[in-house]
Amino acid sequence: MSKLDWYREPESEYGLLHTEKDTKVIREKVKSSQGSYLGYYDAVYKSIVSNQPIAVTAEDGINVMKIIEAAIKSSNEQKVITLLEVS
């Protein structure tokens, strides 16, 4: 396994998109975008040491959590949950 492969997800772990569009049910596997925590932590380091802006802010993380919580609530209640505001 090369250095670039260690964070690739196997096809068996792809996500499942299950939605409906124009009364048609859509179910398909979705490959995740390839990412790297090494790059993230390097950017955090540069932000701290060199006062460089960071691409992913704490506010971004909070917004992601709000969206995930709304998705869980939507699934549990079987209804659309509207987010009035994400920061």
Side-chain angles (χ1 to χ4, degrees):
M1 179 183 298
S2 81
K3 210 174 180 183
L4 297 176
D5 288 335
W6 73 268
Y7 49 82
R8 284 195 185 149
E9 104 188 316
E11 188 172 342
S12 62
E13 298 296 319
Y14 286 4
L16 177 64
L17 172 65
H18 186 176
T19 190
E20 188 176 318
K21 183 176 182 180
D22 300 326
T23 69
K24 179 182 176 189
V25 174
I26 301 168
R27 285 177 57 93
E28 60 187 45
K29 286 195 169 197
V30 179
K31 181 180 179 181
S32 296
S33 298
Q34 189 172 352
S36 170
Y37 280 111
L38 296 175
Y40 171 76
Y41 287 113
D42 186 48
V44 169
Y45 168 80
K46 287 177 182 173
S47 176
I48 294 169
V49 173
S50 305
N51 201 29
Q52 294 181 4
I54 192 159
V56 180
T57 66
E59 188 174 307
D60 293 331
I62 291 168
N63 287 335
V64 168
M65 289 186 284
K66 288 178 182 178
I67 293 166
I68 291 170
E69 288 172 349
I72 292 168
K73 184 174 181 179
S74 173
S75 178
N76 289 341
E77 297 179 12
Q78 295 296 296
K79 67 179 187 179
V80 174
I81 303 298
T82 302
L83 292 176
L84 300 177
E85 180 181 326
V86 285
S87 306

